[in-house]
Amino acid sequence: MKNIQAEIISVGTELLLGQITDTNSQWLSQKLNDLGVNVYYHQTVGDNADRVTSVLQMAQQRSQLVIVTGGLGPTEDDLTRESAINVLNRSLVIDQTSLKRVEAHFEKNGIPMTENNRKQAVVFENATVFQNDEGMAPGMFVEHEGTGWIFLPGVPREMKAIMNEKVIPFLKQKYELTGQLVSRELKFIGIGESTLEDKISHIIQSQSNPTIAPLAGDDGVLLRLSAKATTKEKGYALIDELQQRIFQVVGEYCYGIDHDTIESTVLNIMEEKHMTLSSAESLTGGRFIEKLVSVPGASKVVRGSIVSYQREVKEKLLLVSSGTIDQYGTISEQCAFEMVENVQNMMHTDISMSFTGNAGPDPIEGKPVGTVYIGIKQGSNPPQIYAYTFHGSRDNIRNRAVKKGYELLYKLLKS
């Protein structure tokens, strides 16, 4: 299995202006990774001949395989071929097969073909041409001083069809790509990215194959383990061994793998234990329970939730005492205590959660923005109340409170 260093170049001023999102580079990276090809660089360049030439020259110097998308159309600002001449030292010729396909397209649609459309049939001399079954401009492969160059149209539908049907089989044969790249994501909660990385630093420092990539996620920290092998089975065997080493150090924080979410993990544990859940939410406005009920099968666990945003709702519906609120306020440990206890009693659940706090924009009841209280109660045990100070936007504070709630619930269930 060869170790190939690849680069992807996207051509088009519309990409730089943000008028179009460059999904081609992401998709191509995934495809190349599946083939075991390492993508080291992404470049995006506008429709300017000098700048296109410059990025192509840079790619020639540092990469063994370069895929260029865009700039193969019929208009004057489609400059990819003309710019590449300066780098590849090849002349341009008309590919007769491609020209016939272009002419047939216009004839079929009853549209006169303008002369500039002949440009879409122009290829590099002695190139391997990949016909475009979804459009007109073909793809092509040329080799120059040890670097393989693949040129593809920028229209995603056309690019993907040529890549899937023609380029990938060509690359497998050309570069003897018999290997497989497999990966697995380990998901952690209750530990920060820097702390996690520090605890397994000795494993990261000794990595080669498989590799470890720490990533920040919406619901915790991720470790992406990737391995190359001749078969997927051998690749996953390598990952299994690495995962075991990681779990010996930080396994207690791992809540899921790949497509698991913290809410699906919590739901599965509670269902296995035949436990029920309720919540009383002020600050979070129902976000905590909404995440859980979005998981299929939530009705087996979730009894309900009371969103008690205003004081009178806390008093009349949740039966939080007016004396508690008068003395301590709605944003307080005492209020969270009564909320979590009362909602459990009302809904007769095994576990209950409560959320109250101030997400901003201004201080409330003398409590600064970011003040959060989360209550959790299991069975006949007394409620446990946790106080936090979160920073960020209003939405960020609310989301962090929800995330922390799931962390507390997960720890309780695991204990």
Side-chain angles (χ1 to χ4, degrees):
M1 181 171 54
K2 295 185 177 181
N3 186 20
I4 300 173
Q5 181 174 316
E7 180 164 348
I8 298 170
I9 299 173
S10 301
V11 181
T13 301
E14 67 278 6
L15 300 173
L16 296 176
L17 295 176
Q19 295 171 341
I20 295 178
T21 302
D22 181 15
T23 58
N24 285 352
S25 293
Q26 179 188 23
W27 186 87
L28 285 167
S29 286
Q30 292 170 345
K31 288 295 180 179
L32 291 175
N33 277 314
D34 289 343
L35 294 173
V37 175
N38 299 312
V39 179
Y40 282 12
Y41 305 102
H42 281 187
Q43 290 198 80
T44 303
V45 60
D47 300 308
N48 176 280
D50 291 339
R51 287 193 285 272
V52 173
T53 299
S54 177
V55 299
L56 297 181
Q57 288 172 336
M58 184 182 299
Q60 173 66 45
Q61 294 169 5
R62 67 188 183 187
S63 300
Q64 298 163 306
L65 176 65
V66 184
I67 298 183
V68 185
T69 65
L72 301 181
T75 60
E76 290 186 8
D77 61 353
D78 291 309
L79 303 168
T80 297
R81 302 181 197 83
E82 292 75 7
S83 301
I85 292 174
N86 303 320
V87 180
L88 305 180
N89 295 326
R90 287 178 182 248
S91 58
L92 295 172
V93 297
I94 290 284
D95 178 64
Q96 293 300 321
T97 301
S98 299
L99 180 59
K100 289 178 182 178
R101 292 167 70 97
V102 173
E103 292 172 339
H105 168 81
F106 283 94
E107 183 177 350
K108 178 182 177 181
N109 290 280
I111 303 172
M113 180 178 135
T114 57
E115 184 63 24
N116 62 347
N117 276 288
R118 290 173 59 87
K119 182 179 177 181
Q120 297 192 86
V122 171
V123 299
F124 294 109
E125 185 179 20
N126 298 323
T128 299
V129 178
F130 308 113
Q131 295 300 330
N132 186 348
D133 297 329
E134 296 289 332
M136 288 182 278
M140 50 190 149
F141 172 86
V142 295
E143 199 163 15
H144 178 64
E145 296 181 354
T147 298
W149 288 82
I150 294 173
F151 295 87
L152 297 170
V155 179
R157 183 188 72 257
E158 300 178 23
M159 180 275 295
K160 290 177 181 179
I162 297 174
M163 187 72 185
N164 279 330
E165 298 165 15
K166 294 161 185 178
V167 175
I168 289 177
F170 173 84
L171 290 177
K172 286 181 177 179
Q173 183 177 12
K174 170 72 178 177
Y175 293 103
E176 300 176 6
L177 299 176
T178 58
Q180 296 281 342
L181 179 74
V182 296
S183 63
R184 178 182 299 161
E185 286 187 355
L186 308 182
K187 300 185 176 183
F188 300 81
I189 198 166
I191 185 170
E193 183 178 359
S194 59
T195 304
L196 176 64
E197 189 170 343
D198 179 68
K199 284 181 176 292
I200 62 169
S201 59
H202 61 290
I203 302 177
I204 294 176
Q205 289 167 7
S206 63
Q207 68 176 322
S208 55
N209 182 34
T211 58
I212 306 171
L215 306 167
D218 292 334
D219 292 319
V221 183
L222 312 180
L223 289 180
R224 179 175 296 142
L225 313 184
S226 302
K228 291 181 181 179
T230 53
T231 65
K232 287 187 176 181
E233 290 74 19
K234 291 181 179 179
Y236 282 120
L238 292 172
I239 288 178
D240 288 339
E241 182 180 349
L242 179 60
Q243 178 179 314
Q244 186 175 6
R245 292 177 62 199
I246 293 171
F247 277 7
Q248 288 174 353
V249 184
V250 290
E252 63 186 291
Y253 299 101
C254 184
Y255 71 81
I257 293 174
D258 288 336
H259 300 296
D260 292 336
T261 62
I262 185 61
E263 56 266 26
S264 67
T265 297
V266 163
L267 185 69
N268 290 336
I269 295 173
M270 295 194 72
E271 188 175 348
E272 289 172 4
K273 294 185 176 184
H274 305 289
M275 302 179 79
T276 54
L277 179 73
S278 59
S279 71
E281 303 186 51
S282 178
L283 165 83
T284 49
R287 287 191 182 186
F288 175 83
I289 212 72
E290 192 278 332
K291 284 174 71 71
L292 201 57
V293 298
S294 67
V295 182
S299 59
K300 298 177 183 177
V301 171
V302 178
R303 285 278 178 86
S305 176
I306 295 176
V307 178
S308 53
Y309 210 60
Q310 295 294 327
R311 169 176 175 152
E312 54 264 36
V313 179
K314 292 180 177 70
E315 291 179 352
K316 295 180 180 179
L317 195 58
L318 269 179
L319 306 181
V320 177
S321 70
S322 58
T324 295
I325 296 178
D326 287 340
Q327 184 174 357
Y328 301 104
T330 59
I331 302 172
S332 65
E333 176 182 343
Q334 292 77 9
C335 185
F337 185 101
E338 292 194 25
M339 288 171 67
V340 74
E341 189 166 53
N342 293 351
V343 77
Q344 184 193 43
N345 292 335
M346 291 175 181
M347 299 194 184
H348 307 288
T349 56
D350 299 295
I351 298 177
S352 59
M353 303 282 299
S354 68
F355 299 83
T356 186
N358 178 15
D362 302 308
I364 299 175
E365 300 175 353
K367 301 296 175 61
V369 174
T371 302
V372 173
Y373 294 95
I374 301 176
I376 185 167
K377 186 178 188 301
Q378 180 182 12
S380 58
N381 296 324
Q384 298 296 312
I385 309 301
Y386 300 87
Y388 302 98
T389 300
F390 296 136
H391 301 285
S393 67
R394 175 180 171 81
D395 207 47
N396 183 256
I397 291 169
R398 297 176 68 208
N399 286 335
R400 289 185 66 183
V402 170
K403 176 181 172 181
K404 182 59 69 173
Y406 275 103
E407 178 187 328
L408 295 172
L409 178 56
Y410 176 70
K411 284 183 177 180
L412 177 65
L413 293 172
K414 293 296 287 186
S415 65

